[in-house]
Amino acid sequence: MMRDRVPDDPAFDAAWTLFCTLHDAPSPERAEELIRWLGVDPGNIGALNDVLTLWALTGAALIKPVLEQACHEEGRLQ
């Protein structure tokens, strides 16, 4: 769980870097690098899970005001 990790967790930092690199410039090589890293230590899976949770929550927080404004202006979301 994210609250169990300290801010300077090297596994979280590595997961963040690998995920962002793959997200920004997807390639089979980058995907394989992430997969290899996940297999090195079972804790790496938890770190990636934390990264993906943070990514999803951040996206939800950014999009929520836009959705609320659209609903307000249009009376419904299309």
Side-chain angles (χ1 to χ4, degrees):
M1 293 172 54
M2 286 180 62
R3 64 185 152 185
D4 295 337
R5 298 204 185 276
V6 292
D8 61 350
D9 180 2
F12 181 89
D13 293 343
W16 183 260
T17 299
L18 290 166
F19 170 74
C20 288
T21 301
L22 179 61
H23 178 272
D24 294 345
S27 72
E29 294 79 20
R30 288 190 172 111
E32 288 173 10
E33 181 181 9
L34 176 61
I35 291 166
R36 277 193 305 275
W37 178 79
L38 289 170
V40 169
D41 182 332
N44 290 351
I45 295 170
L48 181 61
N49 184 54
D50 290 347
V51 164
L52 295 175
T53 298
L54 179 60
W55 186 268
L57 292 173
T58 302
L62 291 173
I63 197 68
K64 185 176 180 180
V66 173
L67 292 173
E68 288 174 350
Q69 183 65 29
C71 288
H72 177 72
E73 290 176 0
E74 298 178 16
R76 61 183 168 83
L77 183 62
Q78 296 181 350

